[in-house]
Amino acid sequence: AASAASMAMGGAGMLSWAPRAQAATIYKTFYITEGFIEQPDGVDVYFQGFSSSSGSLNVPGESMIVQEGDTVRVTIYNTTGRSHSFVIDGMVDSGRISPGSARTVSFTARNPGTHMYYDGRNAPYNRITGLHGGFAVMPSGSNDELYDGSPTFVQQYFWIFHDIDPAWHNAVRNRRTPGTAYTPRYFTLNGLSARPPGAPGAHDPAVDSMMDPRSALHGHVGDRTLLRVLYPGMCHQSDHTHANQMEWLTENGQVRADVWLKDCIYQDGNMGKFDAIFPFEPPPDAWPPVTLGTYPMHLHTEMSQTAGGGLYMFGALTDIFFE
């Protein structure tokens, strides 16, 4: 099997959007590639990804944002030696894409909200070894709503959390079904893990999720920020933002009857998702009042803050910058 020599960051993160008066045709190309990505403790772990080129390995794949009613045409080149697929639940299923072949799918964007594209074959193993990414559908004519009548926002990000069991990844590489209990050793946000101050890679946005512009939130007071949160991995988590509570809008694709204010939002593993707005308001518990500063976001499971079972602050966390 071909091995991708380089690893580029998946294009998850802050998204820009301007509404259009008419639907458009959106074109996208992915290359299914495979290779190894070094983890914070120096261990190389096998991954597959929906990548931007045949010579890169993107985990997660680049996020897409379209408008309700758009025609979306996605071409997928399978550069690996095994079959794969491209699926967005309720919208498209490519069917089997044979090794060394390509498939173009065309579908109409519907169901405004946050979706995951993923490989549905060999479930869940192809998905959890990296074949996943974010897909957003904006309501027709709107640039500041998640769905018609939702609370409004001024900017939006994808947060795609993941957990990694290298033994399972290695089994998939060797075309075996994993035969051990799932034991996650690494935890990532948009494909990266945090690097505490003083550690190798600290403050490098290419490897440090606390500096990654796709992951770290940046805003001024009033910059209401939509978080499109996806979890292709297997673990259940609770996402915790400091400074402000989030406005919890959806749970696993369903609009909530009431918008609750929560600083911790539970997230199901195995393709769980939610949408929430981080309001970028002056932190209510700060005295004297402040409008500038840096605050953390982390998951409320101790294991998710580690790598390799023990390296603390090398897990799935990032920062929130009031500017």
Side-chain angles (χ1 to χ4, degrees):
S3 176
S6 62
M7 188 278 287
M9 295 185 297
M14 189 171 71
L15 305 169
S16 60
W17 177 252
R20 291 180 263 102
Q22 296 180 333
T25 300
I26 309 299
Y27 297 89
K28 185 65 182 176
T29 299
F30 289 114
Y31 298 82
I32 298 178
T33 62
E34 60 186 342
F36 294 84
I37 299 175
E38 183 177 320
Q39 300 305 303
D41 58 355
V43 174
D44 288 333
V45 175
Y46 171 79
F47 284 88
Q48 307 174 95
F50 287 108
S51 303
S52 59
S53 72
S54 60
S56 62
L57 177 56
N58 300 130
V59 179
E62 184 178 356
S63 295
M64 298 177 64
I65 181 169
V66 301
Q67 181 170 292
E68 184 181 15
D70 283 347
T71 297
V72 184
R73 292 180 60 85
V74 180
T75 299
I76 308 102
Y77 292 90
N78 181 6
T79 74
T80 75
R82 68 200 78 192
S83 297
H84 294 286
S85 69
F86 179 89
V87 177
I88 302 174
D89 290 334
M91 277 185 261
V92 64
D93 185 339
S94 69
R96 181 175 184 264
I97 307 174
S98 300
S101 69
R103 177 74 54 85
T104 296
V105 295
S106 182
F107 60 97
T108 300
R110 53 186 181 271
N111 304 332
T114 302
H115 307 271
M116 185 186 301
Y117 65 81
Y118 65 98
D119 180 359
R121 295 183 65 83
N122 193 28
Y125 306 117
N126 287 346
R127 184 191 79 237
I128 66 175
T129 53
L131 284 166
H132 58 259
F135 184 82
V137 180
M138 294 290 293
S140 179
S142 177
N143 68 343
D144 62 357
E145 295 175 302
L146 175 66
Y147 49 83
D148 288 337
S150 80
T152 58
F153 55 89
V154 300
Q155 59 182 9
Q156 53 182 312
Y157 287 72
F158 266 105
W159 276 353
I160 303 179
F161 292 97
H162 195 30
D163 46 75
I164 299 156
D165 179 346
W168 278 35
H169 284 230
N170 191 56
V172 173
R173 176 195 173 204
N174 292 309
R175 306 193 182 194
R176 300 195 312 264
T177 298
T180 57
Y182 188 73
T183 307
R185 304 286 288 175
Y186 307 102
F187 300 84
T188 61
L189 170 57
N190 292 333
L192 302 179
S193 58
R195 300 294 197 276
H203 308 296
D204 180 355
V207 297
D208 185 356
S209 61
M210 292 192 288
M211 291 291 119
D212 173 22
R214 307 163 306 152
S215 305
L217 302 188
H218 292 261
H220 300 82
V221 169
D223 285 343
R224 294 170 52 80
T225 300
L226 176 66
L227 303 173
R228 300 181 180 270
V229 185
L230 296 168
Y231 208 121
M234 301 297 288
C235 296
H236 304 297
Q237 300 287 1
S238 182
D239 301 4
H240 180 211
T241 56
H242 288 234
N244 289 165
Q245 294 180 317
M246 296 172 280
E247 300 169 12
W248 189 9
L249 305 182
T250 74
E251 182 176 11
N252 293 329
Q254 300 298 311
V255 175
R256 292 178 50 79
D258 298 300
V259 177
W260 291 0
L261 297 179
K262 298 280 290 182
D263 63 349
C264 285
I265 297 181
Y266 177 80
Q267 184 169 14
D268 287 316
N270 200 16
M271 299 184 67
K273 62 182 180 179
F274 70 82
D275 297 282
I277 289 175
F278 184 86
F280 269 105
E281 296 174 348
D285 296 330
W287 186 260
V290 297
T291 58
L292 303 173
T294 303
Y295 301 86
M297 184 289 300
H298 60 103
L299 304 180
H300 261 201
T301 50
E302 185 174 357
M303 64 180 180
S304 68
Q305 308 309 292
T306 67
L311 290 174
Y312 179 64
M313 284 189 68
F314 285 85
L317 56 153
T318 193
D319 280 329
I320 302 168
F321 297 92
F322 280 69
E323 299 171 334

